[in-house]
Amino acid sequence: MTYVVTDNCIACKYTDCVEVCPVDCFYEGENTLVIHPDECIDCGVCEPECPADAIRPDTEPDMEKWVDFNRKYSEIWPVIISKKDPMPDAEERDGEEGKMEKYFSEAPGEGG
């Protein structure tokens, strides 16, 4: 089992989760985060820290696409270990439908 970041992180990018991760397996894109599924130790401490409820165990239904998505981008984006401010419209975007199609950017974040 691993944990994955889902589309509700897009355009929110809360980083509360990265501070509690004991293995630094979060990677930063321009407007979202991902978890490297091979580095995640399945401890689960990140899941309750996410204000947007965007972190899920891969054992939930229909998570295969998110495992692939997280793997792909964690291999090209920089690692993030420090909390940063969320995206400017994070509160308004939380729970919005269609975030992947509307807002997702493949560009890397700054990491750090």
Side-chain angles (χ1 to χ4, degrees):
M1 186 177 93
T2 187
Y3 284 83
V4 292
V5 177
T6 62
D7 56 343
N8 205 42
C9 184
I10 299 169
C12 288
K13 197 168 81 169
Y14 291 102
T15 56
D16 306 65
C17 52
V18 303
E19 283 194 318
V20 299
C21 180
V23 294
D24 302 334
C25 65
F26 280 88
Y27 292 80
E28 183 184 17
E30 180 179 36
N31 65 0
T32 194
L33 302 174
V34 292
I35 296 171
H36 195 300
D38 295 336
E39 295 173 3
C40 177
I41 60 171
D42 313 324
C43 68
V45 297
C46 59
E47 186 180 21
E49 296 299 318
C50 180
D53 197 29
I55 299 173
R56 293 277 176 237
D58 70 344
T59 53
E60 288 189 2
D62 302 319
M63 286 294 124
E64 297 83 12
K65 69 179 180 183
W66 292 112
V67 172
D68 293 341
F69 175 86
N70 279 248
R71 181 181 311 283
K72 175 181 178 178
Y73 291 102
S74 65
E75 292 177 357
I76 57 176
W77 288 348
V79 69
I80 179 171
I81 59 172
S82 302
K83 185 175 178 177
K84 299 179 180 183
D85 290 334
M87 302 294 294
D89 296 328
E91 287 185 31
E92 293 80 23
R93 301 269 185 252
D94 186 4
E96 185 177 329
E97 295 292 322
K99 291 170 75 171
M100 177 66 83
E101 297 77 23
K102 293 182 203 174
Y103 309 117
F104 177 67
S105 168
E106 290 188 344
E110 296 177 5

